[in-house]
Coordinates of all heavy atoms in Angstrom, one line a residue:
L33 N 86.0 44.6 24.2 CA 85.5 43.7 23.2 C 84.3 43.0 23.6 O 83.3 42.8 22.9 CB 86.6 42.8 22.9 CG 87.2 43.0 21.5 CD1 88.6 42.7 21.5 CD2 86.6 42.3 20.5
L34 N 84.3 42.4 24.9 CA 83.2 41.7 25.5 C 81.9 42.6 25.6 O 80.8 42.1 25.2 CB 83.5 41.1 26.8 CG 84.5 39.9 26.8 CD1 84.8 39.6 28.3 CD2 83.9 38.7 26.1
A35 N 82.1 43.8 26.0 CA 81.0 44.7 26.1 C 80.4 45.0 24.8 O 79.2 45.1 24.6 CB 81.5 46.0 26.8
G36 N 81.3 45.2 23.8 CA 80.8 45.5 22.4 C 80.0 44.3 21.8 O 79.0 44.5 21.2
E37 N 80.6 43.1 22.1 CA 79.8 41.9 21.6 C 78.5 41.7 22.3 O 77.5 41.3 21.6 CB 80.7 40.6 21.9 CG 81.9 40.5 21.0 CD 82.8 39.4 21.3 OE1 82.3 38.6 22.2 OE2 83.8 39.2 20.6
K38 N 78.4 42.1 23.6 CA 77.2 41.9 24.3 C 76.2 42.9 23.7 O 75.0 42.6 23.6 CB 77.4 42.2 25.8 CG 76.2 41.8 26.7 CD 76.6 41.9 28.1 CE 75.4 41.4 29.0 NZ 75.8 41.5 30.4
E39 N 76.6 44.2 23.5 CA 75.7 45.2 23.0 C 75.2 44.8 21.6 O 74.0 44.9 21.3 CB 76.4 46.5 22.9 CG 76.6 47.2 24.2 CD 77.3 48.5 24.1 OE1 77.5 49.0 23.0 OE2 77.7 49.1 25.1
E40 N 76.1 44.2 20.8 CA 75.7 43.8 19.4 C 74.7 42.6 19.5 O 73.7 42.5 18.8 CB 76.9 43.3 18.7 CG 76.6 43.0 17.2 CD 77.9 42.6 16.5 OE1 79.0 42.8 17.1 OE2 77.8 42.2 15.3
Q41 N 74.9 41.7 20.5 CA 74.0 40.6 20.7 C 72.6 41.0 21.1 O 71.6 40.6 20.6 CB 74.5 39.6 21.7 CG 73.7 38.4 21.9 CD 74.3 37.4 22.9 OE1 75.4 37.7 23.5 NE2 73.6 36.3 23.2
L42 N 72.6 42.0 22.0 CA 71.3 42.6 22.4 C 70.6 43.3 21.3 O 69.3 43.2 21.1 CB 71.5 43.6 23.6 CG 71.9 43.0 24.9 CD1 72.3 44.1 25.9 CD2 70.8 42.1 25.5
E43 N 71.3 44.0 20.5 CA 70.7 44.7 19.3 C 70.1 43.7 18.3 O 69.0 43.9 17.8 CB 71.7 45.5 18.6 CG 72.1 46.8 19.3 CD 70.9 47.8 19.5 OE1 70.1 47.8 18.5 OE2 70.8 48.4 20.5
N44 N 70.9 42.5 18.1 CA 70.4 41.5 17.2 C 69.1 40.8 17.8 O 68.1 40.6 17.0 CB 71.4 40.4 17.0 CG 72.6 40.9 16.2 OD1 72.4 41.9 15.4 ND2 73.8 40.3 16.4
E45 N 69.0 40.7 19.1 CA 67.8 40.1 19.7 C 66.6 41.0 19.6 O 65.5 40.5 19.3 CB 68.1 39.8 21.2 CG 69.1 38.6 21.4 CD 69.3 38.3 22.9 OE1 68.8 39.1 23.7 OE2 70.0 37.4 23.2
K46 N 66.9 42.3 19.8 CA 65.8 43.2 19.6 C 65.3 43.3 18.2 O 64.1 43.4 17.9 CB 66.3 44.7 20.0 CG 66.4 44.8 21.5 CD 66.8 46.2 21.9 CE 67.0 46.3 23.4 NZ 67.4 47.7 23.8
T47 N 66.2 43.2 17.2 CA 65.8 43.2 15.8 C 65.0 42.0 15.5 O 64.0 42.1 14.8 CB 67.1 43.2 14.9 OG1 67.9 44.4 15.3 CG2 66.7 43.2 13.5
I48 N 65.4 40.8 16.0 CA 64.7 39.5 15.7 C 63.3 39.6 16.4 O 62.3 39.2 15.8 CB 65.5 38.3 16.2 CG1 66.8 38.2 15.4 CG2 64.7 37.1 16.2 CD1 67.7 37.1 15.9
E49 N 63.3 40.1 17.6 CA 62.0 40.3 18.3 C 61.0 41.2 17.6 O 59.8 40.9 17.5 CB 62.2 40.8 19.7 CG 62.8 39.9 20.7 CD 62.9 40.4 22.1 OE1 62.5 41.6 22.3 OE2 63.6 39.8 23.0
K50 N 61.6 42.3 17.0 CA 60.8 43.2 16.2 C 60.2 42.5 14.9 O 59.0 42.7 14.6 CB 61.6 44.4 15.8 CG 60.8 45.5 15.2 CD 61.6 46.7 14.9 CE 60.8 47.8 14.2 NZ 61.7 49.0 13.9
K51 N 61.1 41.8 14.3 CA 60.6 41.0 13.1 C 59.5 40.0 13.4 O 58.6 39.9 12.7 CB 61.8 40.4 12.4 CG 62.8 41.3 11.7 CD 63.9 40.6 11.1 CE 64.9 41.5 10.4 NZ 66.0 40.8 9.7
L52 N 59.8 39.3 14.5 CA 58.8 38.3 14.9 C 57.5 38.9 15.3 O 56.4 38.4 15.0 CB 59.3 37.5 16.1 CG 58.5 36.3 16.6 CD1 58.3 35.3 15.5 CD2 59.3 35.6 17.7
H53 N 57.6 40.1 16.0 CA 56.3 40.8 16.3 C 55.6 41.3 15.1 O 54.4 41.2 15.1 CB 56.7 42.0 17.2 CG 55.5 42.8 17.7 ND1 54.6 42.3 18.6 CD2 55.2 44.1 17.5 CE1 53.7 43.2 18.9 NE2 54.0 44.3 18.2
E54 N 56.3 41.8 14.1 CA 55.7 42.2 12.9 C 55.0 41.0 12.1 O 53.9 41.1 11.6 CB 56.7 42.9 12.0 CG 57.1 44.2 12.5 CD 58.2 44.9 11.7 OE1 58.7 44.1 10.7 OE2 58.6 46.0 11.9
A55 N 55.7 39.8 12.2 CA 55.1 38.6 11.6 C 53.8 38.2 12.3 O 52.9 37.8 11.7 CB 56.2 37.5 11.6
A56 N 53.8 38.4 13.6 CA 52.6 38.0 14.4 C 51.5 38.9 14.1 O 50.3 38.6 14.0 CB 53.0 38.0 15.9
I57 N 51.8 40.2 13.9 CA 50.8 41.2 13.5 C 50.1 40.8 12.2 O 48.9 40.9 12.0 CB 51.4 42.6 13.4 CG1 51.8 43.1 14.9 CG2 50.4 43.6 12.8 CD1 52.5 44.4 14.9
N58 N 50.9 40.4 11.2 CA 50.4 40.2 9.9 C 50.0 38.7 9.7 O 49.4 38.3 8.7 CB 51.4 40.5 8.9 CG 51.8 42.0 8.9 OD1 50.9 42.8 8.9 ND2 53.0 42.3 8.8
G59 N 50.4 37.8 10.7 CA 50.0 36.4 10.7 C 50.8 35.7 9.6 O 50.3 34.8 9.0
E60 N 52.0 36.1 9.3 CA 52.9 35.6 8.3 C 53.7 34.4 8.8 O 54.8 34.6 9.4 CB 53.8 36.7 7.7 CG 53.0 37.8 7.1 CD 53.9 39.0 6.7 OE1 55.0 39.2 7.3 OE2 53.6 39.7 5.7
I61 N 53.2 33.2 8.5 CA 53.9 32.0 9.0 C 55.2 31.8 8.2 O 56.2 31.3 8.9 CB 52.9 30.8 8.7 CG1 51.7 31.0 9.6 CG2 53.6 29.4 9.1 CD1 50.7 29.8 9.4
P62 N 55.4 32.0 7.0 CA 56.7 31.8 6.3 C 57.8 32.6 7.0 O 58.9 32.1 7.2 CB 56.5 32.3 4.9 CG 55.0 32.1 4.7 CD 54.4 32.4 6.0
I63 N 57.5 33.9 7.4 CA 58.5 34.7 8.1 C 58.8 34.0 9.5 O 60.0 34.1 9.9 CB 58.0 36.1 8.2 CG1 57.9 36.8 6.8 CG2 59.0 36.9 9.1 CD1 57.5 38.2 6.8
L64 N 57.8 33.5 10.1 CA 58.0 32.9 11.4 C 59.0 31.7 11.3 O 59.9 31.5 12.0 CB 56.7 32.4 12.0 CG 56.8 31.5 13.2 CD1 57.4 32.2 14.4 CD2 55.4 31.0 13.5
L65 N 58.7 30.9 10.3 CA 59.6 29.7 10.1 C 61.0 30.1 9.7 O 62.0 29.4 10.1 CB 59.0 28.8 8.9 CG 57.6 28.2 9.2 CD1 57.1 27.5 8.0 CD2 57.6 27.4 10.5
Q66 N 61.2 31.2 8.9 CA 62.5 31.6 8.6 C 63.3 32.1 9.8 O 64.5 31.8 10.0 CB 62.4 32.8 7.5 CG 63.7 33.3 7.1 CD 63.6 34.5 6.1 OE1 62.5 34.7 5.6 NE2 64.7 35.2 5.8
L67 N 62.6 32.9 10.7 CA 63.2 33.4 11.9 C 63.6 32.3 12.9 O 64.7 32.3 13.5 CB 62.3 34.4 12.6 CG 62.1 35.7 11.9 CD1 61.0 36.5 12.6 CD2 63.4 36.5 11.8
I68 N 62.8 31.2 12.9 CA 63.0 30.1 13.7 C 64.3 29.3 13.2 O 65.1 28.8 14.0 CB 61.8 29.2 13.9 CG1 60.7 29.8 14.7 CG2 62.2 27.8 14.6 CD1 59.4 29.1 14.7
Q69 N 64.4 29.3 11.9 CA 65.5 28.6 11.3 C 66.8 29.3 11.5 O 67.8 28.7 11.8 CB 65.3 28.4 9.7 CG 66.3 27.6 9.1 CD 66.0 27.5 7.5 OE1 65.1 28.1 7.1 NE2 66.8 26.6 6.9
E70 N 66.7 30.7 11.6 CA 67.9 31.5 11.9 C 68.3 31.3 13.3 O 69.5 31.4 13.6 CB 67.7 32.9 11.5 CG 67.5 33.1 10.0 CD 67.1 34.6 9.6 OE1 67.0 35.4 10.6 OE2 66.9 34.9 8.5
N71 N 67.3 31.3 14.2 CA 67.5 31.3 15.6 C 66.5 30.3 16.3 O 65.4 30.7 16.6 CB 67.4 32.6 16.2 CG 67.8 32.6 17.7 OD1 68.1 31.6 18.3 ND2 67.7 33.8 18.3
P72 N 66.9 29.0 16.4 CA 66.0 28.0 16.9 C 65.5 28.3 18.4 O 64.4 27.8 18.7 CB 66.8 26.7 16.9 CG 67.9 26.9 15.9 CD 68.2 28.4 16.0
Q73 N 66.2 29.1 19.1 CA 65.8 29.4 20.5 C 65.0 30.7 20.6 O 64.7 31.1 21.7 CB 67.1 29.6 21.3 CG 68.0 28.4 21.3 CD 67.4 27.1 21.8 OE1 66.6 27.2 22.8 NE2 67.7 26.1 21.2
I74 N 64.5 31.2 19.5 CA 63.8 32.5 19.5 C 62.5 32.5 20.3 O 62.2 33.4 21.0 CB 63.6 33.0 18.1 CG1 63.0 34.4 18.1 CG2 62.6 32.1 17.3 CD1 62.9 35.0 16.7
L75 N 61.8 31.3 20.3 CA 60.5 31.3 21.0 C 60.7 31.0 22.4 O 59.7 31.1 23.2 CB 59.6 30.2 20.3 CG 59.3 30.4 18.8 CD1 58.4 29.3 18.4 CD2 58.6 31.7 18.7
T76 N 61.9 30.8 22.9 CA 62.1 30.6 24.3 C 62.6 31.8 25.0 O 62.8 31.8 26.2 CB 63.1 29.4 24.6 OG1 64.3 29.8 24.0 CG2 62.6 28.1 24.0
S77 N 62.8 32.9 24.3 CA 63.3 34.1 24.9 C 62.2 34.8 25.6 O 61.0 34.5 25.5 CB 63.9 35.1 23.8 OG 62.8 35.4 22.8
K78 N 62.5 35.8 26.5 CA 61.6 36.5 27.3 C 60.9 37.7 26.6 O 59.9 38.2 27.2 CB 62.3 37.0 28.6 CG 62.8 35.9 29.5 CD 63.4 36.4 30.7 CE 63.9 35.3 31.6 NZ 64.5 35.8 32.9
F79 N 61.3 38.1 25.5 CA 60.7 39.2 24.8 C 60.5 40.4 25.7 O 59.4 40.9 25.8 CB 59.4 38.8 24.2 CG 59.4 37.6 23.3 CD1 59.1 36.3 23.7 CD2 59.9 37.7 22.0 CE1 59.3 35.2 22.9 CE2 60.0 36.7 21.1 CZ 59.7 35.4 21.6
S80 N 61.6 40.9 26.2 CA 61.5 42.0 27.2 C 61.3 43.4 26.6 O 60.8 44.3 27.2 CB 62.8 42.1 28.0 OG 63.9 42.2 27.1
S81 N 61.5 43.4 25.3 CA 61.4 44.8 24.7 C 59.9 45.1 24.2 O 59.7 46.2 23.8 CB 62.3 44.8 23.4 OG 61.9 43.8 22.4
I82 N 59.0 44.2 24.3 CA 57.6 44.4 23.9 C 56.7 43.9 25.0 O 57.0 43.0 25.6 CB 57.3 43.7 22.5 CG1 57.7 42.2 22.6 CG2 57.9 44.4 21.3 CD1 57.4 41.5 21.3
P83 N 55.5 44.6 25.1 CA 54.6 44.2 26.2 C 53.9 42.8 26.0 O 53.6 42.1 27.0 CB 53.5 45.3 26.3 CG 53.6 45.9 24.9 CD 55.0 45.8 24.4
N84 N 53.7 42.5 24.8 CA 53.1 41.2 24.4 C 54.1 40.3 23.6 O 54.8 40.8 22.8 CB 51.8 41.3 23.6 CG 50.7 42.0 24.4 OD1 50.4 41.7 25.5 ND2 50.1 43.0 23.7
N85 N 54.1 39.0 24.0 CA 54.9 38.1 23.2 C 54.2 37.8 21.8 O 53.0 38.2 21.7 CB 55.3 36.9 23.9 CG 54.1 36.0 24.3 OD1 53.1 36.0 23.6 ND2 54.2 35.2 25.4
P86 N 54.8 37.2 20.9 CA 54.2 36.9 19.6 C 52.8 36.1 19.7 O 52.0 36.4 18.9 CB 55.2 36.0 18.9 CG 56.5 36.4 19.5 CD 56.2 36.7 20.9
L87 N 52.7 35.3 20.7 CA 51.4 34.5 20.8 C 50.3 35.5 21.3 O 49.2 35.4 20.7 CB 51.6 33.5 21.9 CG 50.3 32.7 22.2 CD1 49.8 31.9 21.0 CD2 50.5 31.7 23.4
H88 N 50.6 36.4 22.2 CA 49.5 37.3 22.6 C 49.1 38.2 21.5 O 47.9 38.5 21.2 CB 50.0 38.2 23.8 CG 50.3 37.4 25.0 ND1 51.4 37.6 25.8 CD2 49.7 36.3 25.5 CE1 51.4 36.8 26.8 NE2 50.4 36.0 26.7
T89 N 50.1 38.7 20.7 CA 49.8 39.5 19.5 C 48.9 38.8 18.5 O 47.9 39.4 18.0 CB 51.1 40.0 18.9 OG1 51.9 40.7 19.9 CG2 50.8 41.0 17.7
A90 N 49.3 37.6 18.1 CA 48.6 36.8 17.2 C 47.1 36.5 17.7 O 46.2 36.6 16.9 CB 49.3 35.5 16.9
V91 N 47.0 36.3 19.0 CA 45.6 36.0 19.5 C 44.8 37.2 19.5 O 43.6 37.2 19.1 CB 45.8 35.4 21.0 CG1 44.5 35.5 21.7 CG2 46.4 34.0 20.9
L92 N 45.4 38.4 19.9 CA 44.6 39.6 19.8 C 44.1 39.9 18.4 O 43.0 40.5 18.3 CB 45.5 40.8 20.3 CG 45.7 40.9 21.8 CD1 46.7 42.0 22.1 CD2 44.3 41.4 22.4
L93 N 44.8 39.6 17.4 CA 44.4 39.9 16.0 C 43.7 38.7 15.4 O 43.3 38.8 14.2 CB 45.7 40.3 15.3 CG 46.4 41.6 15.7 CD1 47.7 41.8 15.0 CD2 45.5 42.8 15.5
G94 N 43.5 37.6 16.1 CA 42.7 36.5 15.6 C 43.4 35.6 14.6 O 42.7 35.0 13.7
H95 N 44.7 35.5 14.6 CA 45.4 34.7 13.6 C 45.5 33.3 14.1 O 46.5 32.9 14.8 CB 46.8 35.3 13.3 CG 46.8 36.7 12.7 ND1 46.0 37.0 11.7 CD2 47.5 37.8 13.1 CE1 46.2 38.3 11.3 NE2 47.1 38.7 12.2
L96 N 44.6 32.5 13.8 CA 44.5 31.1 14.4 C 45.6 30.2 13.9 O 46.3 29.5 14.7 CB 43.2 30.5 14.0 CG 42.9 29.0 14.4 CD1 43.1 28.9 15.9 CD2 41.6 28.5 13.9
D97 N 45.9 30.3 12.6 CA 47.0 29.4 12.0 C 48.3 29.8 12.6 O 49.2 28.9 12.9 CB 47.0 29.5 10.5 CG 45.8 28.9 9.9 OD1 45.2 28.0 10.5 OD2 45.4 29.3 8.8
F98 N 48.6 31.1 12.7 CA 49.8 31.5 13.3 C 50.0 31.1 14.8 O 51.0 30.7 15.2 CB 49.9 33.1 13.2 CG 51.3 33.6 13.4 CD1 52.2 33.8 12.4 CD2 51.7 33.9 14.7 CE1 53.4 34.3 12.6 CE2 53.0 34.5 14.9 CZ 53.9 34.7 13.8
T99 N 48.8 31.2 15.5 CA 48.8 30.7 16.9 C 49.1 29.2 17.0 O 50.0 28.8 17.8 CB 47.4 31.1 17.5 OG1 47.1 32.4 17.4 CG2 47.3 30.5 18.9
K100 N 48.6 28.4 16.1 CA 48.8 27.0 16.1 C 50.2 26.7 15.8 O 50.9 25.8 16.5 CB 47.9 26.3 15.1 CG 46.4 26.3 15.5 CD 45.7 25.5 14.4 CE 44.2 25.3 14.8 NZ 43.4 24.6 13.8
E101 N 50.9 27.4 14.9 CA 52.2 27.2 14.5 C 53.2 27.5 15.7 O 54.1 26.8 16.0 CB 52.6 28.1 13.3 CG 53.9 27.7 12.7 CD 53.9 26.3 12.1 OE1 52.9 25.9 11.5 OE2 55.0 25.6 12.2
L102 N 52.9 28.6 16.4 CA 53.7 29.0 17.6 C 53.6 27.9 18.7 O 54.6 27.5 19.2 CB 53.2 30.3 18.2 CG 53.6 31.6 17.4 CD1 52.9 32.8 18.0 CD2 55.1 31.8 17.5
L103 N 52.4 27.5 19.0 CA 52.2 26.5 20.0 C 52.7 25.1 19.7 O 53.1 24.4 20.6 CB 50.7 26.5 20.4 CG 50.1 27.7 21.1 CD1 48.6 27.6 21.3 CD2 50.8 28.0 22.4
N104 N 52.7 24.8 18.4 CA 53.3 23.5 18.0 C 54.8 23.5 18.2 O 55.4 22.5 18.4 CB 53.0 23.3 16.5 CG 51.6 22.9 16.2 OD1 50.9 22.4 17.1 ND2 51.1 23.1 15.0
R105 N 55.4 24.7 18.1 CA 56.9 24.8 18.3 C 57.2 25.0 19.8 O 58.3 24.5 20.2 CB 57.4 26.1 17.6 CG 57.1 26.1 16.1 CD 58.1 25.2 15.4 NE 57.7 25.1 13.9 CZ 58.5 24.6 13.1 NH1 59.7 24.1 13.4 NH2 58.2 24.5 11.8
N106 N 56.3 25.6 20.6 CA 56.5 25.8 22.0 C 55.2 25.8 22.8 O 54.6 26.9 22.9 CB 57.3 27.1 22.3 CG 57.7 27.2 23.7 OD1 57.5 26.4 24.6 ND2 58.3 28.4 24.0
L107 N 54.8 24.7 23.4 CA 53.5 24.6 24.1 C 53.5 25.5 25.4 O 52.4 25.9 25.8 CB 53.2 23.2 24.5 CG 52.8 22.3 23.3 CD1 52.6 20.8 23.9 CD2 51.5 22.7 22.7
Q108 N 54.7 25.7 26.0 CA 54.7 26.5 27.2 C 54.3 28.0 27.0 O 54.0 28.7 28.0 CB 56.2 26.5 27.8 CG 56.6 25.1 28.2 CD 55.7 24.5 29.3 OE1 55.3 25.2 30.2 NE2 55.4 23.2 29.1
M109 N 54.3 28.4 25.8 CA 53.9 29.8 25.5 C 52.4 30.0 25.9 O 52.0 31.1 26.2 CB 54.1 30.2 24.0 CG 55.5 30.3 23.6 SD 55.7 30.9 21.9 CE 55.3 32.6 22.1
A110 N 51.6 29.0 25.9 CA 50.2 29.0 26.3 C 50.0 29.5 27.7 O 49.0 30.1 28.1 CB 49.5 27.7 26.1
N111 N 51.1 29.3 28.6 CA 51.0 29.6 30.0 C 51.6 31.0 30.3 O 51.6 31.4 31.4 CB 51.7 28.5 30.9 CG 51.1 27.2 30.7 OD1 49.9 27.1 30.6 ND2 51.9 26.2 30.7
S112 N 52.3 31.6 29.3 CA 52.9 32.9 29.5 C 52.0 34.0 29.7 O 50.8 34.0 29.1 CB 53.9 33.2 28.3 OG 53.1 33.3 27.1
L113 N 52.4 35.0 30.4 CA 51.5 36.1 30.8 C 52.2 37.4 30.2 O 53.4 37.5 30.2 CB 51.4 36.3 32.3 CG 50.8 35.1 33.0 CD1 50.7 35.4 34.5 CD2 49.5 34.6 32.5

Side-chain angles (χ1 to χ4, degrees):
L33 249 146
L34 286 175
E37 288 179 1
K38 191 172 183 179
E39 287 180 7
E40 185 178 354
Q41 184 180 359
L42 288 174
E43 286 297 325
N44 289 335
E45 288 179 0
K46 287 182 180 180
T47 302
I48 293 173
E49 285 181 8
K50 186 177 179 181
K51 289 181 180 179
L52 187 56
H53 183 64
E54 291 175 354
I57 291 175
N58 299 316
E60 296 175 331
I61 297 177
I63 295 178
L64 169 64
L65 297 177
Q66 181 183 348
L67 291 171
I68 292 174
Q69 187 176 4
E70 293 175 2
N71 184 359
Q73 305 299 320
I74 188 174
L75 297 182
T76 59
S77 60
K78 294 183 178 180
F79 301 98
S80 56
S81 63
I82 51 178
N84 293 315
N85 65 28
L87 177 63
H88 296 142
T89 302
V91 167
L92 277 171
L93 296 172
H95 298 313
L96 177 59
D97 293 334
F98 194 92
T99 300
K100 289 181 177 179
E101 192 65 38
L102 284 172
L103 293 173
N104 287 338
R105 303 281 175 170
N106 184 4
L107 289 176
Q108 294 303 316
M109 290 186 74
N111 301 322
S112 61
L113 306 179

